[in-house]
Structure formats: structure tokens, C-alpha cells
Amino acid sequence: MNGVASGQTTRDVGTCRCTRGALLFGACVCLSAFASAEPAASGVRDTVDWPAFLHAADPVWSRLPENWWEAPYLGNGMMGTLIRKVDARTLEWQVGRSDVEDYRSINYGMGRLPIGSFLLRTAGDLQDCDMRLDLLNAEASGTIRTSAGAIAFRTLVHADQMAIVVLWKGEGGEADSSLTWSPKEALHPRLAVKPDEERKKTWTPNPEGHQSEVDGTPIWVQPLSEGGYATAWREGAQDGWRSLFISTQYAWPGKPEDVAKQAADAVRTAAETPWEAFISAHRAAWLDHYRKSFFSVSDPYWQTFYWNQIYKLRAATRQDGVILGIQGPWDQPTPWPGIWWNLNVQLTYWPMYTSNHLELAEPLPNSLREYLPNLIANVQPEYREDSAGVYRSTTARLVGGVFYPSLVERPGDAGDPEVGDLLWACHNVWLHYRMNMDDAILRDTLYPVLRRAVNYHRHFLQEGEDGRLHLPRTRSPEYKSGPDCNYDLALLRWGAGALLQITDRLGVDDPLAPEWRRIAEKLADFPEGDNGFLIARDVPMDSSHRHYSHLLMVYPLYQVNVEQPGGEARIRRSLDHWHSFPDALFGYSFTGGASIAASIGDGQRALDYLNAFKRFIEPNTMYREAGPVIETPLSAAQSIHDMLIQSWDAPDGPLIRVFPAVPDAWDDVVFHQWRAQGAFLVSAARVGGKTAWVKVTSHAGEPCRLRAAFSDAPRLEAPEGATIEPVGEDRYALGLRKGDTALLVDPAWKGEPTVAPVAGSIPDGPVFGLR
């Protein structure tokens, strides 16, 4: 290690930065080349020094974490690890993998399974640490001190290879420290959280795991009732550091001996890759991830929080991965060991769209397409010819039966079906499509899935004496049930309209188009009262309700919006009433409130909700309600997006809104290469509370209208043939061909358009971690 202490964090901006962790086993991977200014199209300069910028957002620990919500976490979108203190003389590196699940249908439901940990047992009592999670390089490193000595370590989960790497070196009485494998029983997580003996009788234990080896590589093999998983590891040493390479592989269905060989091969490949190539590929992948977009604001807390979420997204999911569930790859004992479809999936994926990370969002449409047969099988046999659905919680293969609505009024809520969840998931896929306008998403995924989801509701519609189409009793997630439930009305109205747009776009003459048009025109109005929108017809919101399932017509569907006559008053009335019952409000109640406030242009109220959410944010920016719930902090990142850019359709057509809901405290803001509907990449800067410039690049040649508050008609820099035309107050129509970029500059602003951290955005010290 050439005398460089693990965990050292010197910052020589403009020179080689190997001293903060790029020098391992003698291999220099200098990132200085990525700190220089880069010219961008249409006169915007990108001068972001990524190492210096992200370093300020790194979580730092001087106290050892003892819980998953305090611990540094790492992942590659499939495998993950986190580091924490277990007891006075034990640290653990947990091993997790997102697709390790038990697919048996049991009384506890299907769910993720724990894998195990590597334990470091110390000679002395654990005391404190100097530990840092390096966001740029996705590595955790530091020094752990005990009463007997110290242990320096470094950990990463390789971005591309399925391998966790731990490097460590003990000093003093800890010189002989070692990591040992500790497997966990393949037990359903709910049995660990709620060990109900009666319910446990429905659980047939999986076969016991056993130690084996393949070509000298130690392996823990865990058979399941079907399939299995295996964890392999290889120890080594170089330059005075000990190393451990770890990989877990999984198959269902499949044979445990096959995954054992796969795990051994993965470990061998990782361990035998030349270190310089291994670490270079890892760091290049992470730098590419960050460089897809940029954001800076004169609010150090929320800027730091935001970049921790962008790190979390890449650590938790990947382009070729499974749907991102509630835990990500860091499984813990939890009552929610799977994928939840009545809010969690939707909120989890929202920030990927605007932040220009559509590649990370691909597992959602991919899974809906691949497992459409399971979605069909989820509904009752008499509806499978033309319908599909998803239960509120499933595994990654989307198995879970959906109850059908009751056409007979029943007392109470027992057994009332929650049937709108697949429609809401389809809306996420619609957002994905609108951000890149790739018609293959419509043709291969959204059209066949959404058609069946709308059809399922269509079977239960009844025309009332008023000539309108009404729904029977269905359930508003996490609250109450009733006829004409606003949750289902909003989603069905959107779904029918979207199908008409899809078939028009694809040139498909669908025989059901008249039915969709009938739904769009005749579906019952949203039940509404003096205090805003109801839960359902004759079902008021009269107690605290953390979920905004009754407000989807406001957000994210924008069917009721600020640009409609009386729209703002309706929204404010509903938002005020929802938050007037505080007892059951939790984290996403505040992020949802922030996005709804942003939808009506109230930036201060949006920021107030975000600030109220701070009390729910854990030291490592995770969130918990009895167990890990990954979506809520991610939805706060989306709330920030909603405050700075919106692109939902106005009554007269598509409209990109730049800085629609910025609080006064955010005087200076810049974002770069954020996506807007219509396949536009948008960059913009706000300086001293005023819009300075906006850049728009068209990736599909779609019509482009923009709303931005310039002091006067902006100066246009664009290719020959591009046009700008005022079309209303602060509104402009841009004539852009596919590939064109237009830069609009405020005539009163005399600076040079630049992408860089804004003044007042860098915190004085670490914001997250434990100190």
C-alpha cells in the first residue's frame, strides 16, 4: 500500500487523488481526468469536478453502526452488503442478493430469504472507527479501533461482476483478525419478525444448508424445496492486506450443485482478474452512472441527500436485474419481504425517469412483459381470456391472486378487493415510455398489459340511472372500501385514455377502442365533498391516512390540476384535509404532500413538507417502518424533481415547466440532463432567484412547448432551422428536429451558461453517517 493508510481522505483537487482510495495493490486509477471542464452543446460548459463534488456528500462514521439503518451499504443492483457491529467483539459483512426468494405459496406469503454474513471477531472490545462511504467509487473504507489494536478495511461490490470484495489488515493485537462465514437459516422473514406458532405450522422448512467445495473453493450450499442458492468465497493476500472475494448465485427452478459451480466460477473470475482492470471497470461504471445528470442547489442538506439517493439507486438495482423490492439487496427480518404494488414500486421507480436513469428502470417493464402469463393467472379463471391483475404483494415473478370486486354491497371491509395496483404499475411504464418515446415499450409491454388491466375493471362496470359508469366496492389501499373508489376511478380513467393514445400511435385498430372511449367519456366523476376528495362514494376521509391513494387524480396523474378552473382550490382543500389528521402520517405522507404542493406551484409548502420528512431519515438515508422500506427516501428525490421540472400535459397539450415550484430559499439551482416527457433532455440554471438559462435537446422530434419565467424574450442559440415562438405568458413553442439542441438565455443575465455546483451548496461537514 506504499505507506498510504486505509481511510485516508486527503483532497488535492487538480492532482492525483489516489490517496483517497484509488491506490490498491500498487494500481493507480487516477480520476483527475474527469475533473476538467468539458464544453457542451449550445454554449453550456460542464465544469463539474466529480471527485471533489461527491466527496462532500459522503456519509462518515466515527461511531460504529449497530443497525441496518445506520450502516454503510454497498451494492451492484443485485448483490449487496452492509457493515455493522453485532456485539462487543464482532463485526459483520452481510451478504444479500435481490432474487433469492422462496416461491412457495404459504400462509405467510412468498418472500425473500436471508443468506448469511462474514463475521470479523476481534481480540479486543470494539471502541470506535473512522469510516467513510465513498459515493464516487462506491467503496467503504476506514479503520476500526479496539482495546487490543486496529483493523483497516476496504469493501466494494463490483459494479459488473457478481462479487463482494473485502480487504483488511490488522495491527497490534488484531494482527491475526480474520473473516469467517456464518450462514443464516433459509427461513421466511416474517417468521423471524412474527414467530406465530400457529402460522408457522403452514411452513415446511427448507432443507438444511451444508458446506462443500468446488475445485478447492469453499461453498455454502442452501437447497430449497425447489432450486437453491450457494455462496462461495476465496481468501488471498497481497502487499500486507488480506482479501476475501464473495459471490452468491441462485436458481429457481434448478439444482443446488449447478449454482454451487456458478458461485465458484464467479469468485474465481473476480479473484483472478488483474486488480487494475477490476477496479478500473468498477469505478468507470460508477462514474458513468453519475455523469448521466447533475443537480446542485443552495441547500446543502437536500443536495447531499439527493446524491445519496442517486448512489442508492445504482447500488439497489441494475438494467438486467429483478424488480427493485422494498429491501433492495440488503435483506433484513421484515413483515414486508417482497414487492408491494400499491405504492412502493411506483414511488421507488419515479426518480429514475427524471434523473435520466431509464436503464435502471428497465426491470419494471421487462418483468411485466416476461411474467404476463402470471399476471393473467392471478385473476379468476373466468376472466383470464382478456384480463390480468396483480396482488398488492408478490415476489419478483409477480405471482399473487387478485380478488374480484363484489357486485353485492357487504358490511365492513373484510375481503374487499384492491384491484387497481396493476393499472398504477402500468402508469409507471407509461412515464418510462414518455421519457424516451420508444414505441417498442408500447408495442411489446404497455399495450398488452394495460389492455388486460383495463379489461379487468371493465367487467365490473355498471351503468347507473344517471347514465354514468360506476364501479362496485373496491379498496383504497391502506384505508377503506366503497363504491366508486377514487383510487380505481382515477387509474381506470387514465388507463382507458392511454390505450386510445397507444393504439393511435401504433396504428392499431382495436375492437375494444369504442369501449375505452365509452369509459373515458362516461366514467363516474370523482367523489368529492366540502373537504376535498373522498375515499369513495359516501366514504369520507375522516381519520388519519398515511397513503394518498384517494388523491392519485391530483398526483401523479394530474387529471385535476392547477391549470383547470378551480383546480388549485380543489387540490389545496384536499391536501389540507388529508394532513389535518396527523396521527397516522408517515414518511411518504410528507414526500407525497411535497409533490402535490409542487403541482400547484407552492414551492415553500413543498419544502416545508420535505423538511418535516427529515425526522424520518436515518443516518445512512434509509427509512424504516418495522422493516426496510426503500421507496420513501427515493420519493423525496422525486419531490425535488417535481419542484424544479414538470412535464405533464396541459389542457392544450404537452408542456415542459422549468422551475415551477422553487422556494425562495433556493436562490441558486442548476440541473443538467434531466428528462422531460416527449424525450427531451433539459438543463437549466436559476441565479439569484431568477431563471438564467434553459437548454433543451430533442431526442425524438416531438412537439416542444416550454414554460420558463424569463425577464423578457430569451435569446435563442440553436441550429439553423430551429425556431422559437411565444405562445402565452412565459410560454414558448420550440421548433426542434430530432437531435436539435436549443439554448434559451435571459436577456438580462450576463454570465456564461455553466454546469457546476452553485454557491452555498457544499456542506461544512458530513451530513449523514454516525458521529
Side-chain angles (χ1 to χ4, degrees), residues 1 236 306 681 756:
M1 298 296 290
Y306 179 89
L681 281 179

mmCIF file with all atom_site columns, all heavy atoms in Angstrom, residues 1 236 306 681 756:
data_model
loop_
_atom_site.group_PDB
_atom_site.id
_atom_site.type_symbol
_atom_site.label_atom_id
_atom_site.label_alt_id
_atom_site.label_comp_id
_atom_site.label_asym_id
_atom_site.label_entity_id
_atom_site.label_seq_id
_atom_site.pdbx_PDB_ins_code
_atom_site.Cartn_x
_atom_site.Cartn_y
_atom_site.Cartn_z
_atom_site.occupancy
_atom_site.B_iso_or_equiv
_atom_site.pdbx_formal_charge
_atom_site.auth_seq_id
_atom_site.auth_comp_id
_atom_site.auth_asym_id
_atom_site.auth_atom_id
_atom_site.pdbx_PDB_model_num
ATOM 1  N N   . MET A 1 1   ? 0.826   -1.223  0.000   1.00 0.00 ? 1   MET A N   1
ATOM 2  C CA  . MET A 1 1   ? 0.000   0.000   0.000   1.00 0.00 ? 1   MET A CA  1
ATOM 3  C C   . MET A 1 1   ? 0.849   1.257   0.000   1.00 0.00 ? 1   MET A C   1
ATOM 4  O O   . MET A 1 1   ? 0.335   2.351   0.118   1.00 0.00 ? 1   MET A O   1
ATOM 5  C CB  . MET A 1 1   ? -0.944  0.031   1.208   1.00 0.00 ? 1   MET A CB  1
ATOM 6  C CG  . MET A 1 1   ? -1.954  -1.105  1.229   1.00 0.00 ? 1   MET A CG  1
ATOM 7  S SD  . MET A 1 1   ? -3.094  -1.031  -0.167  1.00 0.00 ? 1   MET A SD  1
ATOM 8  C CE  . MET A 1 1   ? -4.047  0.406   0.261   1.00 0.00 ? 1   MET A CE  1
ATOM 9  N N   . GLY A 1 236 ? -7.249  -14.442 0.044   1.00 0.00 ? 236 GLY A N   1
ATOM 10 C CA  . GLY A 1 236 ? -5.944  -14.190 -0.536  1.00 0.00 ? 236 GLY A CA  1
ATOM 11 C C   . GLY A 1 236 ? -5.224  -13.123 0.256   1.00 0.00 ? 236 GLY A C   1
ATOM 12 O O   . GLY A 1 236 ? -5.705  -12.646 1.284   1.00 0.00 ? 236 GLY A O   1
ATOM 13 N N   . TYR A 1 306 ? -29.932 14.218  -1.890  1.00 0.00 ? 306 TYR A N   1
ATOM 14 C CA  . TYR A 1 306 ? -30.254 13.821  -3.259  1.00 0.00 ? 306 TYR A CA  1
ATOM 15 C C   . TYR A 1 306 ? -29.179 12.908  -3.838  1.00 0.00 ? 306 TYR A C   1
ATOM 16 O O   . TYR A 1 306 ? -29.485 11.863  -4.422  1.00 0.00 ? 306 TYR A O   1
ATOM 17 C CB  . TYR A 1 306 ? -30.417 15.069  -4.134  1.00 0.00 ? 306 TYR A CB  1
ATOM 18 C CG  . TYR A 1 306 ? -30.734 14.755  -5.582  1.00 0.00 ? 306 TYR A CG  1
ATOM 19 C CD1 . TYR A 1 306 ? -32.051 14.605  -5.991  1.00 0.00 ? 306 TYR A CD1 1
ATOM 20 C CD2 . TYR A 1 306 ? -29.721 14.610  -6.527  1.00 0.00 ? 306 TYR A CD2 1
ATOM 21 C CE1 . TYR A 1 306 ? -32.358 14.312  -7.312  1.00 0.00 ? 306 TYR A CE1 1
ATOM 22 C CE2 . TYR A 1 306 ? -30.012 14.316  -7.847  1.00 0.00 ? 306 TYR A CE2 1
ATOM 23 C CZ  . TYR A 1 306 ? -31.330 14.172  -8.231  1.00 0.00 ? 306 TYR A CZ  1
ATOM 24 O OH  . TYR A 1 306 ? -31.622 13.859  -9.550  1.00 0.00 ? 306 TYR A OH  1
ATOM 25 N N   . LEU A 1 681 ? -34.139 16.128  -23.124 1.00 0.00 ? 681 LEU A N   1
ATOM 26 C CA  . LEU A 1 681 ? -33.180 16.331  -22.050 1.00 0.00 ? 681 LEU A CA  1
ATOM 27 C C   . LEU A 1 681 ? -33.119 17.828  -21.783 1.00 0.00 ? 681 LEU A C   1
ATOM 28 O O   . LEU A 1 681 ? -32.874 18.620  -22.703 1.00 0.00 ? 681 LEU A O   1
ATOM 29 C CB  . LEU A 1 681 ? -31.798 15.790  -22.414 1.00 0.00 ? 681 LEU A CB  1
ATOM 30 C CG  . LEU A 1 681 ? -31.590 14.287  -22.299 1.00 0.00 ? 681 LEU A CG  1
ATOM 31 C CD1 . LEU A 1 681 ? -30.176 13.911  -22.722 1.00 0.00 ? 681 LEU A CD1 1
ATOM 32 C CD2 . LEU A 1 681 ? -31.856 13.804  -20.874 1.00 0.00 ? 681 LEU A CD2 1
ATOM 33 N N   . ALA A 1 756 ? -22.190 23.515  -12.869 1.00 0.00 ? 756 ALA A N   1
ATOM 34 C CA  . ALA A 1 756 ? -21.222 23.433  -11.775 1.00 0.00 ? 756 ALA A CA  1
ATOM 35 C C   . ALA A 1 756 ? -21.990 23.568  -10.464 1.00 0.00 ? 756 ALA A C   1
ATOM 36 O O   . ALA A 1 756 ? -23.122 24.051  -10.447 1.00 0.00 ? 756 ALA A O   1
ATOM 37 C CB  . ALA A 1 756 ? -20.173 24.540  -11.896 1.00 0.00 ? 756 ALA A CB  1
#
